[in-house]
Amino acid sequence: MPILNKDMTLCISLSARPSNNGTRFHNHLYEQLGLNWIYKAFAPTDLAQAIAGVRGLGIRGCAVSMPYKEDVIALVDAMDPSAKAIDSVNTIVNDGGRLTAYNTDYTAIEQLLQRNAVPVEYSVLLKGSGGMAKATAAALRDAGFSDVTVIARNEASGKALADLYGFKWSAELPEADQGGTADMIINVTPVGMAGGPDADSLSFPPEAVDAAKVVFDVVALPAETPLVKAARAAGKTVITGAEVATIQALEQFVLYTGVRPTDEQVRAAEEFMRAQ
């Protein structure tokens, strides 16, 4: 990484609980490609002021994580179709003070469903109703999944999300013999996230894991969440949040820099990101 200097381009991330994933991934790619750029994670105390700082300081790019993916919409100038279609933002690009919002989470989930050849006939339990859940639900709908139940305690957001995509909604996960299992289970809540109050908890009960064919945990840190560990132990097909993080971060990198790294460079950055 170059020594800090006045010509260096800055990109940042905003999250309630920042991790080093994006910082390590982006900075490693900057170094490989010889770019005079730097990436830094922040936990904002005032979101509006943070976005004003992006605009006023000429910060080139800003990644947006939970819980700000929807709140940030009112603070940008334009919404790319990737964000507008699902009213959720994970990326902001600053072009001379004009802030445009994107969503690369959708792209990541879409690619991972395809890579793992998940049959669209599978039944799905989607737990969560925030910004990331919107991206996940949209990717499921657009891929052709129809038997999807959104599990969310918040009736307003949960039912709205389910209705938007023609899915079912339930406030709580039903008992196993009453529809509480599915071919694919997806966690899009903070349960299992490092540093959170439920870091050691399973987002789905063991019987749901046992019944599933595919287990997808969108939590990126740690890469091996309690749900992922349980799924691996049970011999399930596993899709991890770490995989989501790599793909969405790569697409952010391209939006910020205009450069698409080689597959080898991405693998090196991914390995560096995970070796923390």
Side-chain angles (χ1 to χ4, degrees), residues 50-138:
I51 298 302
V54 171
R55 193 191 308 273
L57 295 173
I59 295 170
R60 168 59 178 168
C62 176
V64 182
S65 296
M66 291 191 293
Y68 306 119
K69 293 173 183 282
E70 295 164 316
D71 293 343
V72 78
I73 291 173
L75 304 174
V76 301
D77 301 307
M79 295 277 282
D80 180 78
S82 63
K84 188 173 184 178
I86 56 178
D87 285 328
S88 178
V89 173
N90 83 323
T91 306
I92 298 172
V93 178
N94 183 0
D95 292 301
R98 178 174 172 80
L99 306 185
T100 303
Y102 299 80
N103 194 305
T104 65
D105 290 329
Y106 173 97
T107 303
I109 294 160
E110 178 185 48
Q111 289 185 23
L112 288 167
L113 291 172
Q114 292 174 352
R115 285 183 192 178
N116 288 274
V118 183
V120 296
E121 297 80 15
Y122 273 9
S123 57
V124 182
L125 292 174
L126 172 63
K127 193 171 185 181
S129 61
M132 190 67 172
K134 284 185 178 181
T136 306

Side-chain angles (χ1 to χ4, degrees), residues 81-244:
S82 63
K84 188 173 184 178
I86 56 178
D87 285 328
S88 178
V89 173
N90 83 323
T91 306
I92 298 172
V93 178
N94 183 0
D95 292 301
R98 178 174 172 80
L99 306 185
T100 303
Y102 299 80
N103 194 305
T104 65
D105 290 329
Y106 173 97
T107 303
I109 294 160
E110 178 185 48
Q111 289 185 23
L112 288 167
L113 291 172
Q114 292 174 352
R115 285 183 192 178
N116 288 274
V118 183
V120 296
E121 297 80 15
Y122 273 9
S123 57
V124 182
L125 292 174
L126 172 63
K127 193 171 185 181
S129 61
M132 190 67 172
K134 284 185 178 181
T136 306
L140 288 168
R141 191 275 311 273
D142 292 349
F145 290 85
S146 58
D147 187 1
V148 179
T149 301
V150 175
I151 310 296
R153 292 180 182 177
N154 186 318
E155 180 174 358
S157 62
K159 193 171 186 304
L161 177 60
D163 290 346
L164 181 63
Y165 295 105
F167 299 151
K168 299 181 288 291
W169 165 78
S170 177
E172 301 285 349
L173 184 69
E175 295 297 325
D177 60 354
Q178 297 178 5
T181 62
D183 297 318
M184 177 165 62
I185 56 176
I186 308 176
N187 174 48
V188 200
T189 76
V191 176
M193 184 181 293
D198 299 311
D200 299 322
S201 299
L202 273 176
S203 50
F204 283 90
E207 54 267 27
V209 177
D210 291 340
K213 298 180 178 69
V214 179
V215 175
F216 189 170
D217 195 344
V218 178
V219 171
L221 190 68
E224 297 290 311
T225 64
L227 180 61
V228 167
K229 289 179 180 178
R232 292 199 195 284
K236 308 299 179 178
T237 297
V238 176
I239 306 174
T240 70
E243 295 173 276
V244 175

Side-chain angles (χ1 to χ4, degrees), residues 3-10 36:
I3 295 173
L4 290 172
N5 58 83
K6 68 179 180 64
D7 298 317
M8 183 169 273
T9 300
L10 173 63
N36 188 30

